[in-house]
Amino acid sequence: MLAFLQHAWASGVAATLALVLLLAWLGIFARISAPINKRLSAAAYAGDVPRDARALQERWDSVIVLRAVIQGLVRTLLCVSLALR
């Protein structure tokens, strides 16, 4: 917001894109990763192995690369935003 107020449009756009990507990352985490993590953690604390542990792990693995790429893009966009100021 401050970048836009200071007429640093490119910096503001980069920061806005970073925010949008972070919200997408949060959505992926909340819908897929957090429930899996909760189930696996509860099973580990109980000393149990869920019957569908392999399926849970495969589901977790299916989004981990996407989450990592989004985090990398966010970091890059924030660095670009700082460099353009």
Side-chain angles (χ1 to χ4, degrees):
M1 183 69 126
L2 292 175
F4 288 120
L5 291 175
Q6 296 175 353
H7 302 289
W9 304 110
S11 180
V13 168
T16 302
L17 287 173
L19 176 62
V20 169
L21 285 173
L22 277 175
L23 292 174
W25 181 92
L26 186 60
I28 293 167
F29 179 79
R31 289 191 60 178
I32 299 171
S33 301
I36 293 171
N37 191 36
K38 185 176 180 179
R39 286 190 59 201
L40 290 176
S41 294
Y45 285 126
D48 192 22
V49 176
R51 288 186 176 188
D52 60 345
R54 198 170 298 274
L56 290 171
Q57 185 65 48
E58 287 174 7
R59 183 69 173 140
W60 175 274
D61 290 344
S62 73
V63 295
I64 193 68
V65 172
L66 177 62
R67 288 177 46 216
V69 168
I70 289 173
Q71 289 272 330
L73 288 172
V74 167
R75 182 174 290 185
T76 301
L77 284 168
L78 291 175
C79 288
V80 166
S81 178
L82 286 172
L84 292 175
R85 292 205 45 146

